[in-house]
């Protein structure tokens, strides 16, 4: 039969794909050593996502391409009876229940109970002799079915990313009823064709629906990978989220390990000394992300090379910075530095002179950077004049949090050491009041001002990747020596999956 040939071809393609997938990735004897990012999804998250399974199953039935079914059989009195079912498509679908179970080191088992599906199409039939020349009657048909569906989804590595294999798929039919033109045809005709085609039809439905589910599982895996890759990329800076080891399936969680190397133009990132261990993560929250200190360091280096670590202030911003307190010492220092020039005719530039160094400690993320500061005045009609230039080494400890869909960065400790100090109004550098004033200004106002600029910029960047679409509950950002853990609970945005299905299918 035609459908049988198609099924064998598709089965062959799937087998070839699986053989390729199983041989696509090779990992060294110590895969954790190159792990920069870990994602752990616990069973509560899997249960939550399973609530969306109905959408995928509906899409699988709706998008399955059912082949025409043809057959023939010899009957006493009637001679040879031939039939053909064409234009088979889903006319309605409902799902009563879906359950998910994580099988240790095996698969994600999804059991879908009581799928009621209605199929419609055209039945063409005829009798005797060369039936393909004597088919003379066609009727519309509808098939009502009740099905249980079981899927075992295995996670593997293909082309260095997570791939899903849902080819282990079973359909159990509890009901398969054929109706011809609303049951107006003679009962013997309905019974005849029900007996003829029920077995063949079950095989076709199983093959096509399971093939479509397997296809959707792979598409979803690619979608998640693309979503993650897009989330960790901004213009020319991105992270390599290739797998560092085969994905894990445990009884209470799923876990994937990624390299997390920074990719930026000719910048070369190497990492082989990860401190990750599965024992560092718990199972009490729905979702965990483990990030190596190395990633933060490399991102800071890439941002420096991309000339992103700079800030320019003038006008009201500059005034607020230098007039943090109204004291005689402050007024004197400002007058000395700006030489009476208006803030609107002045500009301050702050930039990183070298790659910032980042280390993660229990008390927070420690950023150490050599920073340059230049203040220039621009008298009307004259060339700009640099009135202050200094280089200082700043070490600041930052604690991070996420609340109300915003990233919050809180400096908890800072130290400043001047390396270079040049002031036009004090060429000898013997006036301690200016340096003391600047020291206080940098610690009390300057560092918080820079961080206040970074907060909305990073929040905007994350929201542009779709983070604001999720309802994140009780997020925690925990720092330990050498790594960061982000743990949270979440609600899945229903429309996100629906939009995805509409765009991809």
């Amino acid at each position: 039969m035609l459908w049988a040939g198609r099924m064998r071809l598709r089965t062959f393609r799937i087998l070839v794909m699986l053989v390729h997938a199983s041989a696509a990735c090779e990992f060294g004897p110590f895969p954790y050593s190159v792990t920069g990012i870990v994602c752990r999804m616990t069973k509560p998250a899997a249960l939550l996502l399973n609530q969306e399974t109905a959408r995928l199953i509906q899409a699988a039935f709706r998008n399955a391409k059912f082949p025409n079914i043809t057959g023939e059989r010899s009957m006493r009195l009637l001679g040879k009876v031939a039939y053909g079912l064409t234009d088979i498509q889903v006319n309605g679908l409902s799902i009563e229940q879906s359950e998910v179970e994580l099988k240790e080191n095996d698969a994600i088992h999804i059991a879908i109970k009581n799928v009621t599906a209605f199929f419609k199409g055209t039945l063409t039939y005829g009798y005797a002799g060369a039936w393909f020349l004597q088919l003379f009657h066609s009727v519309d048909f509808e098939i009502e079915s009740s099905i249980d569906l079981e899927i075992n989804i295995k996670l593997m590595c293909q082309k260095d990313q997570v791939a899903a294999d849902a080819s282990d798929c079973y359909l159990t039919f509890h009901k398969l009823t054929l109706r011809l033109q609303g049951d107006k045809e003679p009962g013997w005709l309905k019974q005849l064709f029900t007996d003829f085609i029920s077995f063949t039809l079950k095989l076709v439905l199983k093959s096509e629906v399971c093939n479509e589910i397997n296809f959707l599982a792979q598409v979803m895996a690619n979608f998640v990978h693309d979503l993650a890759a897009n989330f960790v990329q901004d213009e020319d800076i991105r992270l390599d989220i290739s797998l560092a080891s085969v994905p894990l399936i445990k009884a209470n969680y799923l876990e994937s390990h990624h390299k997390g190397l920074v990719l930026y133009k000719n910048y070369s990132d190497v990492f082989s000394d990860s401190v990750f261990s599965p024992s560092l993560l718990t199972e009490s929250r729905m979702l965990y992300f483990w990030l190596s200190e190395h990633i933060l360091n490399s991102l800071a280096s890439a941002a420096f090379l991309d000339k992103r670590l700079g800030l320019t202030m003038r006008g009201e911003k500059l005034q607020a910075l230098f007039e943090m307190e109204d004291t005689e010492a402050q007024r004197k220092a400002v007058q000395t530095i700006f030489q009476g020039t208006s803030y609107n005719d002045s500009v301050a530039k702050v930039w990183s002179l070298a790659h910032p160094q980042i280390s993660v400690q229990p008390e927070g993320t420690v950023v150490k950077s050599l920073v340059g500061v230049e203040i220039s005045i621009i008298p009307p009609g004259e060339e700009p004049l640099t009135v202050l230039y200094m280089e200082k080494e700043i070490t600041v400890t930052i604690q991070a949090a996420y609340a109300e869909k915003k990233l919050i960065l809180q400096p908890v400790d800072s130290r400043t050491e001047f390396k270079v100090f040049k002031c036009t109004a004090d060429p000898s550098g013997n006036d301690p009041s200016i340096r003391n004033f600047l020291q206080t200004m940098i610690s009390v106002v300057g560092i918080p001002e820079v961080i206040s600029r970074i907060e909305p910029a990073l929040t905007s960047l994350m929201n542009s990747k779709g983070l604001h679409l999720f309802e994140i509950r009780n997020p925690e950002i925990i720092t330990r020596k050498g790594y960061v853990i982000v743990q949270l609970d979440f609600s899945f945005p229903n429309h996100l999956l629906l939009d995805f299905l509409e765009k991809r299918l």
Side-chain angles (χ1 to χ4, degrees):
M1 294 182 182
L2 177 61
W3 68 268
R6 290 179 177 176
M7 185 171 69
R8 284 193 296 269
L9 179 59
R10 293 187 181 189
T11 301
F12 174 76
R13 288 176 176 173
I14 291 174
L15 289 174
V16 170
M17 180 195 70
L18 292 179
V19 169
H20 173 71
S22 64
C25 305
E26 294 183 3
F27 304 108
F30 307 105
Y32 290 156
S33 66
V34 296
T35 296
I37 302 175
V38 177
C39 176
R40 174 178 289 188
M41 178 183 294
T42 61
K43 191 169 184 177
L47 292 173
L48 175 65
L49 294 178
N50 185 57
Q51 296 175 9
E52 301 301 312
T53 301
R55 295 181 185 271
L56 291 176
I57 299 306
Q58 289 170 343
F61 275 84
R62 185 175 64 248
N63 290 281
K65 305 300 181 183
F66 300 105
N68 296 336
I69 301 174
T70 60
E72 62 181 20
R73 187 171 182 178
S74 296
M75 299 286 294
R76 286 187 300 174
L77 302 178
L78 294 177
K80 187 176 291 186
V81 178
Y83 62 87
L85 277 71
T86 59
D87 300 324
I88 304 173
Q89 54 188 291
V90 177
N91 196 33
L93 184 73
S94 65
I95 296 175
E96 182 176 303
Q97 181 183 1
S98 179
E99 300 174 351
V100 64
E101 177 186 0
L102 304 181
K103 293 185 176 181
E104 183 90 12
N105 297 322
D106 186 14
I108 306 167
H109 177 73
I110 298 176
I112 301 168
K113 306 292 185 182
N114 296 331
V115 180
T116 301
F118 292 87
F119 301 87
K120 67 177 182 179
T122 301
L123 170 64
T124 305
Y125 62 94
Y127 316 99
W131 65 268
F132 58 92
L133 297 176
Q134 299 182 37
L135 294 178
F136 59 87
H137 194 51
S138 296
V139 295
D140 293 333
F141 71 83
E142 181 182 68
I143 299 170
E144 179 183 359
S145 65
S146 179
I147 307 168
D148 285 349
L149 177 62
E150 292 191 30
I151 312 165
N152 290 304
I153 303 176
K154 296 183 181 294
L155 301 181
M156 60 185 64
C157 178
Q158 182 179 13
K159 296 181 180 179
D160 292 327
Q161 70 182 59
V162 176
D165 171 24
S167 58
D168 190 3
C169 169
Y170 301 91
L171 269 66
T172 302
F173 288 83
H174 300 294
K175 179 181 181 181
L176 190 67
T177 304
L178 174 68
R179 299 191 182 98
L180 304 178
Q181 286 189 339
D183 278 343
K184 293 180 181 179
E185 288 296 318
W188 68 268
L189 182 63
K190 173 183 173 182
Q191 183 62 45
L192 172 68
F193 285 110
T194 298
D195 291 342
F196 274 12
I197 69 176
S198 61
F199 177 74
T200 302
L201 186 60
K202 289 178 181 179
L203 290 179
V204 170
L205 294 180
K206 176 187 181 304
S207 171
E208 301 305 321
V209 170
C210 285
N211 283 344
E212 187 65 26
I213 289 174
N214 191 29
F215 169 74
L216 279 177
Q218 296 172 51
V219 170
M220 281 297 295
N222 290 335
F223 167 67
V224 172
H225 177 273
D226 293 345
L227 192 67
N230 178 62
F231 191 85
V232 295
Q233 177 175 359
D234 181 46
E235 297 180 0
D236 291 334
I237 301 175
R238 60 192 178 94
L239 290 180
D240 175 10
I241 58 173
S242 300
L243 286 177
S245 63
V246 176
L248 297 180
I249 299 179
K250 298 294 185 180
N252 294 318
Y253 65 84
L254 310 172
E255 188 170 279
S256 59
H257 314 102
H258 307 265
K259 295 177 182 177
L261 299 176
V262 172
L263 304 175
Y264 172 75
K265 296 182 178 178
N266 295 327
Y267 175 77
S268 179
D269 193 13
V270 179
F271 181 51
S272 60
D273 194 24
S274 177
V275 298
F276 175 74
S277 168
S279 62
L280 297 177
L281 302 179
T282 66
E283 301 171 16
S284 59
R285 306 299 297 274
M286 295 173 68
L287 193 61
Y288 294 82
F289 294 101
W290 183 94
L291 305 173
S292 168
E293 169 186 280
H294 177 85
I295 289 178
L296 302 180
N297 242 324
S298 297
L299 285 173
S301 295
F304 169 78
L305 294 173
D306 205 43
K307 303 185 185 303
R308 299 191 185 194
L309 304 183
L311 177 64
T312 300
M313 291 180 287
R314 64 180 73 223
E316 293 181 357
K317 284 288 185 181
L318 193 57
Q319 182 177 3
L321 184 66
F322 276 89
E323 296 185 0
M324 58 182 178
E325 56 182 16
D326 188 15
T327 65
E328 181 64 28
Q330 174 261 318
R331 288 191 293 271
K332 180 181 177 182
V334 170
Q335 179 67 27
T336 301
I337 294 171
F338 288 91
Q339 303 177 18
T341 304
S342 166
Y343 289 112
N344 290 328
D345 295 325
S346 305
V347 60
K349 297 180 180 179
V350 182
W351 71 98
S352 184
L353 294 168
H355 296 210
Q357 300 298 313
I358 296 180
S359 63
V360 182
Q361 304 294 333
E363 57 269 22
T365 301
V366 182
V367 182
K368 185 177 181 179
S369 182
L370 182 63
V371 176
V373 177
E374 182 181 274
I375 297 177
S376 301
I377 59 175
I378 312 173
E382 299 183 23
E383 291 295 320
L385 174 64
T386 299
V387 296
L388 177 69
Y389 175 80
M390 55 183 174
E391 296 178 4
K392 55 190 184 299
E393 187 174 82
I394 296 178
T395 303
V396 58
T397 301
I398 301 172
Q399 292 181 350
Y402 186 84
E404 298 180 353
K405 298 185 183 297
K406 295 180 181 179
L407 179 66
I408 302 168
L409 302 176
Q410 181 64 43
V412 294
D413 179 53
S414 64
R415 299 183 301 277
T416 302
E417 180 183 352
F418 286 95
K419 298 295 184 179
V420 176
F421 184 86
K422 298 178 182 179
C423 181
T424 302
D426 180 27
S428 64
N430 294 327
D431 188 349
S433 63
I434 297 178
R435 188 171 299 202
N436 292 338
F437 166 71
L438 293 173
Q439 180 84 27
T440 303
M441 183 196 71
I442 292 168
S443 301
V444 176
V445 182
I447 292 175
E449 172 66 20
V450 172
I451 290 177
S452 71
R453 300 288 188 96
I454 296 175
E455 282 180 342
L458 291 178
T459 298
S460 177
L461 175 61
M462 292 188 296
N463 287 342
S464 71
K465 307 298 184 179
L467 185 64
H468 64 292
L469 300 175
F470 292 80
E471 291 299 325
I472 297 176
R473 300 191 300 273
N474 304 319
E476 294 181 86
I477 302 176
I478 302 170
T479 56
R480 295 290 183 262
K481 185 173 178 56
Y483 62 90
V484 178
I485 295 175
V486 180
Q487 55 188 38
L488 55 93
D489 299 319
F490 70 96
S491 296
F492 189 76
N494 294 339
H495 62 87
L496 183 65
L497 182 57
L498 182 60
D499 291 346
F500 157 73
L501 291 174
E502 290 177 348
K503 292 177 182 178
R504 296 293 182 97
L505 301 179

